[in-house]
Each structure stands twice: as C-alpha cells, then as structure tokens.
Amino acid sequence: MKRARKGQGSAGGKGKAICMPIVILLSCILTCMVLTSCQGVRKEEEKISIRIGISLYRGDDTFINNIRGIIEEKAKEYERETGIKVTLDIQDAKGSQNTQNNQVERFISLGCDVLCINPVDRMDTSLIIDRAMTAGVPVVFFNRQPVEEDMNRWDKLYYIGVDAKETAILQGRMVVDLYRKEPEAVDLNGDGVVSYVMLEGETSHQDSLIRTEWSVQTLKDGNVPIEKITGGIANWERSQASALMEQWLAEYPDTIELVISNNDDMALGAIDALERAEVMDVNVIGIDGTTPGLEALESGKLLGTVSANKELYGSAIVRLAVSCALQEELPQEYSLTDGTYFWTPQEILITEIKENP
Ligand code: GAL
C-alpha cells in the first residue's frame, strides 16, 4: 500500500511532469472555448439587438416627419425580415444645435450603436463628429448636408439626401415642358412673359440657394420668357409663405402667374393666401411630394412637385445604420458615392393642366 502509495507518489511526481502540459493545454482549450463562446454571445447580442439614436432638426417639419414615418416603418420591416431587434431612440432638437449636441451625448452614454443625425446647423457638426469619433460610433447624417471638410474627418461618416441641383432642374423642367406644349397654361395673360414670385427656404440650407438658382436657370435655358416680380425667405414654413404671398398679392394685383417654391409646405402657404384672396388661376410649384403636397396635387391646387423616392430615402437610412452597427456590407442597391454619400432618386409629379378661367 505504502509502496503503492509511494509508487503512486513517485509515479505521481513523474505524472505531474507529464500532466502539467496536459493541464496547461486543457486550460488553454477551456480558455479558448470560454473566449469563443463569450465572443459568440457578444456577436449574438450584437446580432439580436441594435440601438439607433436619431435626432431631427425640427420634429414639426412636414418633410422630415414624412421621412421619420418611413424610417420607423423600415426599421420594423427589417426586424420582421431578420429577427434582429432595432430600437429607435428618436429625439426632436427643436431647432437648437445645443439641444442636439446634448442628445448626441445621451445617445452615446446609452450605448447607441450608430447615430442618424439631421443636423440643426449643417455648418456646426464638429462637436457631434468629435464625440462620435471618440466613442467610435458611426454617424449617418441626412437631409442637411454637413460641409465637406467635416465629412472628410472620418471614414465612418455618411450622408443621405437628394441632389439639390437635380431637384431644381426637374422643377424647372416641368414648367418648360408645359410651356412648350401649352404656353397659355403658363403665360396666363398671354403677354409673352411669365411673371413669377420665388419662395425660398432657410438661407443656411444647401438646398435653398441651389434650388432657387437652378430652377430659374432651367426656365431660361428652356426659353421660357420669365420675369421675376419679387421673392422672399419663408424658411420652409407654410405660415410664413402664406403671409408673404398675401402681401405680394396686395402689392402686385393681377400680375403673378407662377409661384416657384423651394418646397411643398411654402407652396401650400402660397395656395392658402391665393384661396383667401379668391385668386384661382395662378400656377404653384413645389418640391418634396409630402403627404399634404400630394393631396394638393391630387385636387389640382398644386401644379407640380419634385418628389424624392421617400421609401428609398428612409430605407437607405435604416440599412446604412444597421450595416454600420453590425459592421456588415451595405446591400448593393444602396451604392454610395465616394463610399460616403447616398443620393436618393427623384421624379416630377405634375397635375392635369389647369383650365384658364
Ligand atoms: C428640404 C425640404 C424642406 C425641409 C428641409 C429641412 O430638403 O425640401 O421641406 O424639410 O429640407 O431641412
């Protein structure tokens, strides 16, 4: 027994020498298994749930609201298709860059995987970018394009929007085409000149200046004889546009034949003023194809609009955000220009030509 024990003992001593590498090997295997399974869990966790922080420059903007609805819809659709839970934390910055910066701080502290930001001040996104870069959280900007210098700071910054020049050319082209087909539907008094007023969006917005310039340039290039009566800034807002239009109708009675508006909401404001003044024959054109814009188009109050493919716009935001969060390739249908920009396609929507009274 003793010997045996000794033997066992000595065998144990020798065994220890043999067993040690086995123990080390086993513990290595075990450690690897634990690590792999931890990674597996982490990967699983990443796969089953994504948190997206979304900040809107103003929640009461009609077009932004339309896009928000589609983002929510597309996130649900993605959840149904993949079983991956997508939590959207949507906040309204109410026109304050400071509020938006705080929202970004909160999103990051809550552990959001990706941010979708509709910047309040597109020239002042540096704080957002600093925070995102430090935390390693990618940012998908949309609708209000940060300046190129900021966009070039990190390869995890993206932008989704529409090409403003293309929008404006399409807006101009709808009038050019109509004028060629039926000049009297545009030159309402038949004096050989189309007298127009221009409603502009926010001055700091990349879309306002470009839309204003290129819609008019397209009319000129298309040989529509135009004359500007007046114009003004209504900051995308229906009520501000309505007030301006009311004033212009009083200042220039029986003169205005065409209202060119940088967006649908301001076009609707102009229509409100025209209705109040009981002036029914003025053509009004907008941009966006918002829900109320499309209703006005349907009823013939709005002559035409340029509509971005909002389904694609919203789904591009969701798919790009999800791809960033999962570190996966973006599906091919959302091809990015320079690996950074997604330009949403747009189309002209025009109502039946109005009858001149
Ligand atoms: C424009 C849009 C406007 C307004 C603005 C907000 O692209 O046409 O209606 O939503 O964005 O940034």
Side-chain angles (χ1 to χ4, degrees), residues 37-328:
S37 76
C38 278
Q39 273 170 7
V41 168
R42 206 178 306 138
K43 235 179 177 176
E44 261 318 287
E45 274 174 7
E46 279 170 7
K47 281 224 171 86
I48 56 169
S49 145
I50 297 167
R51 192 180 187 99
I52 307 179
I54 303 178
S55 171
L56 309 175
Y57 93 105
R58 274 177 60 164
D60 61 357
D61 179 293
T62 311
F63 176 70
I64 294 300
N65 243 307
N66 278 189
I67 296 295
R68 174 197 177 137
I70 293 163
I71 291 175
E72 288 172 326
E73 206 178 277
K74 295 292 167 185
K76 288 216 176 71
E77 205 174 290
Y78 181 82
E79 278 189 342
R80 277 197 302 275
E81 277 170 17
T82 62
I84 297 173
K85 180 153 178 49
V86 180
T87 305
L88 303 180
D89 188 343
I90 306 183
Q91 299 294 324
D92 179 0
K94 297 195 166 119
S96 157
Q97 190 54 63
N98 202 25
T99 304
Q100 185 162 66
N101 293 346
N102 293 335
Q103 289 167 350
V104 166
E105 285 289 344
R106 188 181 146 270
F107 289 151
I108 289 175
S109 68
L110 285 174
C112 284
D113 301 290
V114 55
L115 308 180
C116 294
I117 307 293
N118 172 217
V120 174
D121 185 348
R122 67 183 203 94
M123 321 260 192
D124 191 12
T125 54
S126 51
L127 271 178
I128 296 176
I129 296 174
D130 286 346
R131 281 300 287 122
M133 282 173 79
T134 313
V137 179
V139 188
V140 177
F141 290 105
F142 63 99
N143 169 258
R144 300 160 76 89
Q145 190 179 346
V147 292
E148 214 182 323
E149 203 186 320
D150 282 334
M151 288 302 291
N152 290 339
R153 285 180 59 199
W154 192 30
D155 63 354
K156 298 271 181 292
L157 304 175
Y158 303 91
Y159 178 73
I160 293 177
V162 289
D163 180 324
K165 184 170 168 189
E166 181 188 273
T167 317
I169 291 177
L170 290 174
Q171 189 185 39
R173 197 175 296 156
M174 78 177 120
V175 178
V176 172
D177 291 348
L178 181 56
Y179 184 78
R180 283 190 186 151
K181 257 197 292 184
E182 219 175 313
E184 66 279 9
V186 184
D187 177 12
L188 304 173
N189 59 13
D191 66 350
V193 180
V194 179
S195 305
Y196 75 94
V197 293
M198 173 69 77
L199 283 165
E200 295 183 43
E202 293 163 278
T203 40
S204 58
H205 200 296
Q206 79 279 352
D207 288 342
S208 307
L209 213 72
I210 301 173
R211 288 180 185 177
T212 302
E213 179 186 345
W214 282 95
S215 57
V216 171
Q217 190 56 46
T218 307
L219 291 174
K220 288 182 184 156
D221 293 346
N223 298 320
V224 179
I226 49 168
E227 181 193 36
K228 183 173 177 178
I229 303 292
T230 186
I233 294 159
N235 296 306
W236 309 121
E237 282 187 37
R238 184 169 182 157
S239 57
Q240 290 190 33
S242 170
L244 277 181
M245 188 67 191
E246 187 172 300
Q247 190 186 314
W248 296 339
L249 283 169
E251 274 173 44
Y252 310 98
D254 305 319
T255 317
I256 303 165
E257 291 165 293
L258 173 67
V259 179
I260 306 175
S261 172
N262 281 176
N263 79 342
D264 282 355
D265 256 16
M266 296 188 296
L268 293 172
I271 292 169
D272 293 340
L274 286 164
E275 282 181 342
R276 282 198 302 275
E278 294 178 9
V279 178
M280 303 316 287
D281 58 342
V282 174
N283 286 315
V284 183
I285 53 172
I287 286 171
D288 283 343
T290 56
T291 311
L294 294 180
E295 278 163 17
L297 189 78
E298 197 60 29
S299 64
K301 293 178 182 175
L302 185 69
L303 174 69
T305 187
V306 179
S307 179
N309 182 334
K310 284 183 279 305
E311 289 284 310
L312 198 55
Y313 199 130
S315 69
I317 294 174
V318 171
R319 295 311 290 252
L320 185 52
V322 160
S323 301
C324 287
L326 298 177
Q327 295 177 20
E328 280 179 3

